[in-house]
Structures are given as structure tokens and as C-alpha cells.
């Protein structure tokens, strides 16, 4: 029985764990967090996400966990709508899908589907990887060293595995010039309700304040602003202070959101980056998901790419580690790299259109959002975008409209 270590219990890691366990592998999953990570925005069930979940037998569970979605609306500080795009736009292929669930629920579903040959170790991570004859000797922070036939780094854009085998993050990180905070807000009797709408408030300075539906009694909040670097992860006060300075003059519900950020259990803050590497494997170590190809949440394809990548890697590996490891990992990369390159390309002006710098730019963006849904342009786009709902088919000029995840 071949033995694999998957570093990272996220979407990509646990999806691969399910598939390899079913194929007969012994699977260990190590996750630096003390428990399954909560938080994150919604992910939709179009294209590859739906296909892979159906293959796993988990589509019904995912559909049962969806949250109410009526569409996205761009608003001013008084919550007057400048533009809106309902879920029915473009034949259901607009920015927001009618079938979306929170990332935390999808992670829970995948985690619950892992089989009897899979074990999870939380609160630990790898600190060293040494290639040995036919495998890898792994040094852990908390556990004794072990030997594995294969190590998969599915530990996100800030991957420790990638750093150990390929080099420092700075060599592969391509910042997009924006940072994003996200967290869950618990509603009170006086909290304004969203009624299924994802509300987006753009203000000058490329700043965006968002609120979207979550679990009953909860709203998912996002704060986006220009930044390439952030205070250290361990300095929570500096991070909160940065948000409060950046959004001090912003209206709508922003003061409420800033106060909620300080008490949210799932508060997170990171830059919008892409990861670009020349190779995804070295010896018996291979990268998967954001650790290999992060396209940034602005692509809207992170979950679809993670699920598809897990399926492709599992299919290439089969029931046991093949003798030609290099060839198998090269075939996996050959299948996935064109897909990820297209996803990273996004469509022209994606960053600027999401967060315009000026009031005229905001007016222009919302005007375009209204016009593209009307008349001949809307009819053409409605015919085009449903055919590009899969990450493997999404071309830069015809990519499906997705909201940032």
C-alpha cells in the first residue's frame, strides 16, 4: 500500500485525500491549524466544482448547504443601488450563482468524506523534507520523522512545502496591488438584512466594502484596499489599526464592520496575489492548489481549480505510486498548467474594474455593469458565458463572470 502525506486540510488537500483513500492509498493529512479552518467567503457549484463533487458523491450534500442568493448589487453610502446583477443574469452565469455555499461548509463536507485509511493531524506541520530512495523523509514540528512514498503540498499560497523544495515565497509571488479582509458578522435584531443580496460599496482610493449572505443570522463581510504588504500575521492590533485608518472616512455600514472585525472568530487578512512557478514537483514532492498556481480570489476559480487539480492528480497516480513518478507528475502538470494559466489571466482590467480608484471610475464601472445586461450586448454574453463555466475552458476574453472568493 502506497503512503502519501498531504500537507494542508483545505479544499484541495481533503478532496485529494478522499480520492486517494478510495483508490487504496494510506493517507496522512497534516494541518498547521488546531482544527478544521472556518471562515471564508462563498463558493459556487458551477463547472468543475459541480463535476468533481458529483464524482465524489458529495454534490447533494453541497447543494443542501447552499445559502440564499439573489444576486449582486453595487450601492452608494445610502445603500441606493447604482447597478445590480441578479443570479438569473446571462443564463445563470453571472457574478453570483443561485447555488453557492460557504467555503467552511464545503471544507466540512470534504473532511467528513475522508475514509478509513486517512488520518488527520492538526496543530502540526512539516519543517524538513529529505529525498530518500523511492520516497521522502519528513520532519515534523511536533511528531517524529516518517517516510512517505509521496508528499503533496496543498498548504495554500503561503506554502511551507513550496518554500522547502523550491525556494522563498518572494520568488513566486506576484502581488495584484490589493489586500482583503474577510470575516463573519453575527446579526442582532437591529442589523440591516441582506435578503439574499451581495452588496458592494465602492469608494475612491480603490476601496471596497462588501456584505453577503451567510448562515442564518450571519453575514460575510469583506474589506478591500490597495496594499502589497501587510503588518506581520502575529500583530493583530497593527492589522486592525491599518483597516481602521484605511476606512475611517467611509460611510454605509463600515464603522459597524470595523467594530465587528475585532471580535470575529474567523477574521483573516491577506493580499491578493498570484503564485507562478516553473515547476510544481521535485522528486517525490508535488504541489497542488493555491500552493502551485494561486490565481487569487479575483479569478473566482480557486475552488474549481483546487477540486479539478485534486481529481487530475489522483487519476494520474492511480491505486499506488507508479514507478515512473517523474512522468506521472509531469502528466499532471501538463493537464493542469494550461488551465491555471488561463485562470490567472482573468479578463482585461479585472483588478481596476473591481476596485476603481476614482469617483468617475466607479460611475463608469457601475454603468458598464448595467449596460452589459441589456440589449444586443446582453444577448451576446448570455449566449457565450454558459459555455465557459468550467475552469478548463475559461479563456481570458470569455471567462465566466465570477465574484471574488
Amino acid at each position: 500500500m502506497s503512503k502519501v502525506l498531504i500537507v494542508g486540510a483545505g479544499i484541495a488537500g481533503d478532496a485529494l485525500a478522499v480520492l486517494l483513500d478510495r483508490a487504496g492509498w494510506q493517507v496522512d493529512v497534516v494541518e498547521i491549524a488546531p482544527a478544521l479552518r472556518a471562515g471564508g467567503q462563498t463558493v459556487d457549484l458551477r463547472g468543475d466544482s459541480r463535476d468533481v463533487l458529483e464524482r465524489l458523491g458529495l454534490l447533494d450534500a453541497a447543494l443542501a448547504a447552499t445559502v440564499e442568493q439573489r444576486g449582486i448589487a453595487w450601492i452608494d453610502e445610502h445603500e441606493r443601488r447604482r447597478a445590480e446583477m441578479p443570479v438569473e443574469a446571462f443564463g445563470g452565469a453571472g457574478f453570483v450563482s443561485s447555488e453557492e455555499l460557504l467555503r467552511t461548509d464545503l471544507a466540512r463536507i470534504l473532511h467528513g468524506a475522508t475514509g478509513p485509511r486517512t488520518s488527520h493531524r492538526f496543530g502540526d506541520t512539516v519543517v524538513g523534507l529529505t529525498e530518500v530512495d523511492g520516497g521522502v523523509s519528513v520532519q515534523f514540528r511536533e511528531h517524529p520523522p516518517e517516510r512517505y512514498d509521496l508528499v503533496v503540498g496543498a498548504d495554500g499560497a503561503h506554502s511551507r512545502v513550496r518554500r522547502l523544495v523550491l525556494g522563498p515565497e518572494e520568488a513566486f509571488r506576484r502581488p495584484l496591488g490589493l489586500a482583503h479582509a474577510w470575516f463573519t458578522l453575527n446579526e442582532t435584531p437591529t442589523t440591516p438584512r441582506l435578503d439574499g443580496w451581495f452588496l458592494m460599496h465602492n469608494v475612491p482610493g480603490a476601496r471596497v466594502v462588501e456584505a453577503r449572505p451567510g448562515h442564518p443570522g450571519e453575514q460575510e463581510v469583506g474589506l478591500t484596499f490597495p496594499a502589497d504588504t501587510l503588518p506581520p500575521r502575529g500583530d493583530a492590533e497593527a492589522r486592525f489599526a491599518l483597516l481602521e485608518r484605511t476606512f475611517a472616512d467611509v460611510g454605509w455600514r463600515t464603522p459597524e464592520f470595523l467594530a465587528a472585525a475585532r471580535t470575529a472568530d474567523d477574521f483573516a487578512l491577506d493580499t491578493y496575489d498570484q503564485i507562478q512557478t516553473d515547476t510544481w514537483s521535485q522528486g517525490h514532492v508535488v504541489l497542488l492548489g493555491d500552493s502551485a498556481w494561486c490565481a487569487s480570489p479575483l479569478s473566482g476559480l480557486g475552488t474549481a481549480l483546487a477540486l479539478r487539480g485534486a481529481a487530475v492528480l489522483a487519476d494520474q497516480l492511480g491505486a499506488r505510486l507508479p514507478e515512473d513518478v517523474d512522468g506521472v507528475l509531469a502528466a499532471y502538470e501538463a493537464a493542469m498548467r494550461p488551465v491555471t494559466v488561463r485562470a490567472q489571466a482573468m479578463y482585461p482590467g479585472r483588478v481596476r474594474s473591481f476596485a476603481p480608484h476614482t469617483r468617475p471610475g466607479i460611475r463608469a464601472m457601475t454603468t458598464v455593469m448595467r449596460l452589459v445586461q441589456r440589449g444586443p450586448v446582453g444577448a451576446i454574453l448570455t449566449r457565450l458565458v454558459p459555455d465557459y463555466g468550467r475552469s478548463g475552458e475559461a479563456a481570458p476574453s470569455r471567462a465566466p463572470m465570477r465574484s471574488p472568493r
Side-chain angles (χ1 to χ4, degrees):
M1 181 186 298
S2 294
K3 184 178 179 183
V4 61
L5 173 69
I6 300 172
V7 184
I11 302 301
D14 267 352
L16 181 64
V18 173
L19 289 162
L20 291 184
D21 183 291
R22 293 179 182 179
W25 287 66
Q26 179 182 336
V27 183
D28 288 346
V29 183
V30 63
E31 167 59 51
I32 193 170
L36 200 64
R37 293 180 186 267
Q41 302 292 306
T42 59
V43 297
D44 70 54
L45 297 178
R46 293 178 285 197
D48 288 341
S49 297
R50 191 181 193 91
D51 292 346
V52 176
L53 289 172
E54 186 169 27
R55 168 180 169 176
L56 292 171
L58 301 176
L59 181 58
D60 287 344
L63 289 171
T66 56
V67 297
E68 180 186 14
Q69 300 286 337
R70 296 180 62 190
I72 181 172
W74 292 265
I75 61 171
D76 65 15
E77 62 271 25
H78 303 295
E79 209 168 298
R80 294 178 298 217
R81 299 197 176 191
R82 291 170 160 164
E84 63 180 41
M85 185 181 294
V87 294
E88 296 84 8
F90 308 113
F95 277 135
V96 175
S97 166
S98 60
E99 295 177 343
E100 303 204 10
L101 74 163
L102 293 176
R103 181 209 167 277
T104 187
D105 289 331
L106 180 56
R108 172 183 51 79
I109 290 167
L110 288 167
H111 184 74
T114 55
R117 285 179 287 269
T118 299
S119 65
H120 283 77
R121 298 176 182 171
F122 290 97
D124 198 4
T125 189
V126 298
V127 296
L129 299 169
T130 304
E131 195 80 14
V132 296
D133 185 32
V136 185
S137 175
V138 180
Q139 292 76 51
F140 295 95
R141 189 178 64 186
E142 303 293 339
H143 287 79
E146 290 188 52
R147 182 195 176 281
Y148 290 89
D149 297 303
L150 183 71
V151 173
V152 180
D155 47 341
H158 303 294
S159 171
R160 182 183 295 263
V161 173
R162 186 184 63 238
R163 185 166 68 250
L164 289 171
V165 297
L166 298 183
E169 181 176 308
E170 292 73 24
F172 314 111
R173 174 178 177 254
R174 305 292 182 266
L176 298 182
L178 295 174
H180 183 66
W182 63 98
F183 55 91
T184 299
L185 177 144
N186 295 312
E187 295 178 345
T188 70
T190 60
T191 302
R193 300 305 192 256
L194 299 176
D195 296 325
W197 283 93
F198 173 8
L199 301 182
M200 180 178 291
H201 176 43
N202 291 82
V203 293
R207 295 171 294 173
V208 189
V209 181
E210 312 162 30
R212 63 186 310 165
H215 291 146
E218 297 178 347
Q219 298 177 16
E220 302 302 320
V221 175
L223 300 165
T224 302
F225 59 99
D228 284 338
T229 59
L230 295 167
R233 290 175 178 270
D235 193 344
E237 181 56 38
R239 293 186 156 217
F240 292 134
L242 173 62
L243 286 179
E244 289 161 1
R245 288 194 307 271
T246 302
F247 291 90
D249 63 335
V250 179
W252 187 41
R253 297 172 58 192
T254 306
E256 172 195 2
F257 296 156
L258 291 172
R262 286 184 170 272
T263 60
D265 293 334
D266 59 351
F267 175 84
L269 173 64
D270 206 348
T271 48
Y272 277 152
D273 302 324
Q274 294 188 340
I275 296 297
Q276 298 176 5
T277 70
D278 292 333
T279 181
W280 296 341
S281 64
Q282 186 176 98
H284 288 66
V285 181
V286 62
L287 302 176
L288 171 66
D290 282 351
S291 60
W293 59 64
C294 179
S296 97
L298 288 174
S299 74
L301 293 168
T303 298
L305 291 172
L307 290 170
R308 177 172 179 168
V312 170
L313 181 56
D315 287 343
Q316 292 294 334
L317 291 171
R320 60 185 300 275
L321 187 71
E323 292 185 8
D324 182 15
V325 176
D326 291 342
V328 165
L329 298 184
Y332 152 70
E333 184 165 342
M336 284 301 299
R337 187 170 285 276
V339 179
T340 63
V341 168
R342 289 194 291 269
Q344 288 184 334
M346 296 186 282
Y347 61 77
R350 175 66 176 121
V351 175
R352 182 60 63 89
S353 66
F354 174 69
H357 282 265
T358 65
R359 292 188 185 280
I362 294 169
R363 287 195 295 270
M365 179 269 291
T366 53
T367 298
V368 168
M369 291 302 168
R370 292 195 302 270
L371 293 178
V372 295
Q373 300 177 67
R374 301 175 182 172
V377 174
I380 292 171
L381 287 175
T382 298
R383 290 197 299 271
L384 287 176
V385 292
D387 295 330
Y388 295 87
R390 304 180 195 281
S391 64
E393 301 166 355
S397 61
R398 293 181 174 180
M401 293 187 173
R402 304 286 180 90
S403 57
R405 304 299 182 213

